[in-house]
Amino acid sequence: VVSSHTSRGSCLVPKPALDVYHCEVGRLLNMTASTIEPVSFNIARKRMGRNNFHEELYPSTLSNRESALSGTAWSSGENAPPN
């Protein structure tokens, strides 16, 4: 996406917010001086919509919401494997 506005910052949208039925594999929010512009990354497929989930595009990922370390432990230099 080409924009005439200068980008002030950007961030990726978390996976649970993506439109998986339209093969969206990523979404970037681009902040300019006056707007926030969403940039969607989709995979082209012949069949899309509510009844066509493409499991091969969305591999399983860690979903445990508990962190392996507290902020204090991490800042003191401790390491731990992910949960």
Side-chain angles (χ1 to χ4, degrees), residues 61-66 83:
T61 57
L62 295 175
S63 62
N64 188 348
R65 303 246 177 198
E66 291 184 32
N83 290 338

Side-chain angles (χ1 to χ4, degrees), residues 37-63:
E37 302 171 345
V39 180
S40 184
F41 298 92
N42 293 44
I43 303 295
R45 295 292 169 128
K46 285 185 179 181
R47 294 185 182 145
M48 288 192 278
R50 271 283 191 231
N51 298 324
N52 294 299
F53 177 72
H54 297 278
E55 190 173 340
E56 68 277 7
L57 296 178
Y58 306 99
S60 297
T61 57
L62 295 175
S63 62

Side-chain angles (χ1 to χ4, degrees), residues 5 9-11 13 28-39:
H5 304 284
S10 59
C11 70
V13 172
L28 182 77
L29 297 178
N30 190 26
M31 184 176 74
T32 67
S34 60
T35 63
I36 297 176
E37 302 171 345
V39 180

